[in-house]
């Protein structure tokens, strides 16, 4: 099983689900987009890759990707979410 290095500063909440930016200590794929839980949203229909600047930080050579991570959910995030919409998204 892969060990994930979590970026503590980059979390996206999309449709009520938290996604954390992560990398693997030992890559299991040469294409991080294949491992990304947001690849369908990012690659989309026109391949503009709108999330690419977030998952390709200049400060490192490590390949990052987004992974659904409910451990990232905290009070700071919930203060900015409409919980009624989040609950609908979870059903």
């Amino acid at each position: 099983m892969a060990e994930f290095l979590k970026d503590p500063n980059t979390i996206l909440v999309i449709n009520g689900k938290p996604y954390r930016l992560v990398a693997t200590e030992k890559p299991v794929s040469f294409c991080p987009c294949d491992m990304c839980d947001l690849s369908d949203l990012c690659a989309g229909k026109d391949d503009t890759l709108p999330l690419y600047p977030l998952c390709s930080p200049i400060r490192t050579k490590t390949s990052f990707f987004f992974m659904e991570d409910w451990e990232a959910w905290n009070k700071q995030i919930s203060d900015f979410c409409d919980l009624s919409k989040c609950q609908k998204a979870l059903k």
Side-chain angles (χ1 to χ4, degrees):
M1 175 178 263
E3 293 291 322
F4 296 104
L5 305 171
K6 298 180 178 184
D7 182 333
N9 300 315
T10 308
I11 299 169
L12 300 177
V13 178
I14 299 176
N15 294 328
K17 294 181 182 179
Y19 297 90
R20 184 185 299 268
L21 189 62
V22 299
T24 57
E25 287 183 349
K26 297 178 183 175
V28 293
S29 170
F30 290 108
C31 181
C33 295
D34 290 344
M35 299 177 67
C36 184
D37 288 342
L38 296 177
S39 62
D40 291 342
L41 175 69
C42 186
K45 297 176 184 171
D46 58 5
D47 293 328
T48 58
L49 303 175
L51 300 177
Y52 184 76
L54 295 175
C55 63
S56 299
I58 296 171
R59 68 183 182 272
T60 182
K61 294 180 181 178
T62 305
S63 297
F64 283 85
F65 55 94
F66 285 96
M67 182 172 67
E68 187 174 327
D69 181 9
W70 285 97
E71 290 179 8
W73 193 269
N74 60 30
K75 181 170 177 6
Q76 291 170 322
I77 292 173
S78 66
D79 286 347
F80 290 100
C81 289
D82 180 347
L83 292 179
S84 64
K85 289 182 182 177
C86 291
Q87 290 170 349
K88 288 178 188 176
L90 295 175
K91 292 182 180 180

